[in-house]
Amino acid sequence: MKTDHFVMEACEQLQAKDFSTTIALRLSNPESVYKAVHAEQNISPETKYHPWGDTSLSHGYPGNIFLLSQCRASDSTYDWNQAIYLNMKHIQASLAKKGLNDVSLYSGWTGIASSVREASNHGEYYSHFLQQIHEWMIPLTEQWLQLNTAQLALHEGMPMQSFDTISGASGIGRYIVMNSIDPSCTPLVEPILQFLTDLTYPIKIHNRYVPGWYSPQKFQFLDRDKSNYAMGNFNCGMAHGIPGPLALLSVAYSSGIEVKGQYQAIETITEWLLKYKNEDTYGYYWPHIVPFEAETGSLQLDLKRAREAWCYGTPGVACSLYLAGKALHNEELQKMAVMACIGAITYEVTKQEMDSSALCHGLAGLLTISWRMWCHSKEPAFIPLIQHLTSQLIDRFQADSPLGYLDPEPRADSSLAWLTKAGLLEGVAGIASALLSVSENKEMPWDYMLMLS
């Protein structure tokens, strides 16, 4: 869907389109992409591995296919179908050789399904392959959901990867809800929504009642978090926290899909998030993490504004609250979410300290959120932010780098390692997708995977 009028200057629109096409052309050759990402020095300081996964939407061929599919819809000068096919062959080969037990959106079956669905062009291509994927992934997802439902029934807290966007029920459920009329997916719609609804019921921990999405120490991702949050915590990030469930429950409800208690669950999460909003000169903002002690009143939570990105920070929280406002028909909540989002992105733009250009924690994520929230609200204050972020991404394009952009990761000595990354979440496919959507002056149908729509 086209927006009401053009937001970008013509020259920047052309540059954004040109750079996104250049990146897509480089991603069209899967062998050269694999070689670039697996260069000897292209090693993550934290994981000690190359930043790649054959079947990963975040770091692999599925993410690249997303960009190529969008280019096919907007540019007839290149054989994008052939490029998609070459990447698709590598996904099929990896599945045949290694199999896959992960059902998640960003590293598992759901991500593969979403990319094949995008490539299918409404069923014109790959419909048999997509049906096969559904036949493989749905039983695994049912088993996965049964295990997590059993964990939820213990009332001792939940691992974030059971309910979050990246690995959990929010990301998986967003794809399932989008395909709710597909006979393979239909049986999972209500169980996933019910699981996330039941997640909002309070549980008793250390003799205090807390929200059911509490994550105890043993379920923290990192050793430092296990040390910092010995009593556990509540995650507020769109990537790993409660905004993901809020976004999915809200979108489903607005689409007419409802399970018992869902409306109340949307209210519960919304009220909890509003309880933790802080305010500074830029407006409202949210902490990345709420410690157990802060929730139970034994610790005063007084946090300064931290990095504002999609994965963690106010932009993601604000988008989820906006969607909740739509579901609840609460215009004041929608207005508050819009202004909080503008303030947070303005803060990050003014600070000029964001090294990454990627969707997850970089400029492309802020651009995608700004564009989506502009499409939602038509608030004029988003326009200069969209223009500035687009200009910054254009300025950062490195023609002599293998894929056009490099992504920074911190080393132990606090210096940065600049890595070549493909895929959607941290790689160049996500950056190019953001630029392409702005250059085409269109809404971003693919940003449902970021829980923005």
Side-chain angles (χ1 to χ4, degrees), residues 26 255 329 371 428:
R26 295 186 188 187
S255 302
H329 299 290
W371 185 254
V428 297

Side-chain angles (χ1 to χ4, degrees), residues 396-442:
R396 288 186 179 191
F397 182 78
Q398 296 173 263
D400 58 348
S401 67
L403 300 180
Y405 288 89
L406 299 173
D407 193 56
E409 291 192 11
R411 297 189 181 97
D413 63 2
S414 297
S415 66
L416 294 176
W418 290 89
L419 305 180
T420 295
K421 296 181 181 180
L424 198 74
L425 198 59
E426 293 184 24
V428 297
I431 300 169
S433 293
L435 289 173
L436 180 61
S437 295
V438 172
S439 73
E440 289 290 302
N441 199 46
K442 291 180 179 178

Side-chain angles (χ1 to χ4, degrees), residues 124-143:
E124 185 178 357
Y125 312 102
Y126 303 109
S127 57
H128 179 64
F129 185 35
L130 183 58
Q131 197 56 44
Q132 279 188 316
I133 290 170
H134 285 170
E135 289 172 3
W136 293 327
M137 72 176 274
I138 296 302
L140 287 174
T141 306
E142 288 172 340
Q143 294 170 19

Side-chain angles (χ1 to χ4, degrees), residues 152 189-199 201 249 259-262:
L152 185 62
V189 174
E190 290 191 5
I192 285 181
L193 293 177
Q194 196 64 63
F195 170 75
L196 291 174
T197 294
D198 293 348
L199 182 75
Y201 298 147
L249 292 170
V259 297
K260 183 180 180 182
Q262 183 175 333

Side-chain angles (χ1 to χ4, degrees), residues 51 168 310 373 429:
W310 170 79
M373 290 294 275

Side-chain angles (χ1 to χ4, degrees), residues 17 40 58 68 80 122 210 286 314 322 332 356 376 398 412:
K17 178 68 177 292
E40 185 178 354
S58 174
L68 298 172
W80 298 109
H122 307 290
V210 298
W286 278 265
T314 300
Y322 183 88
E332 287 304 311
S356 176
H376 278 321
Q398 296 173 263

Side-chain angles (χ1 to χ4, degrees), residues 276-294:
Y276 285 105
K277 74 178 188 296
N278 295 281
E279 190 172 10
D280 62 10
T281 56
Y282 289 93
Y284 293 126
Y285 66 96
W286 278 265
H288 291 186
I289 302 283
V290 173
F292 175 86
E293 296 88 337

Side-chain angles (χ1 to χ4, degrees), residues 205-206 208 214-218 220 225-234 291-293 296 298:
I205 302 293
H206 302 304
R208 302 297 295 269
Y214 161 77
S215 292
Q217 181 190 44
K218 66 179 180 179
Q220 300 300 312
D225 288 338
K226 290 179 179 179
S227 174
N228 291 338
Y229 305 107
M231 298 284 284
N233 63 27
F234 305 84
F292 175 86
E293 296 88 337
T296 56
S298 59

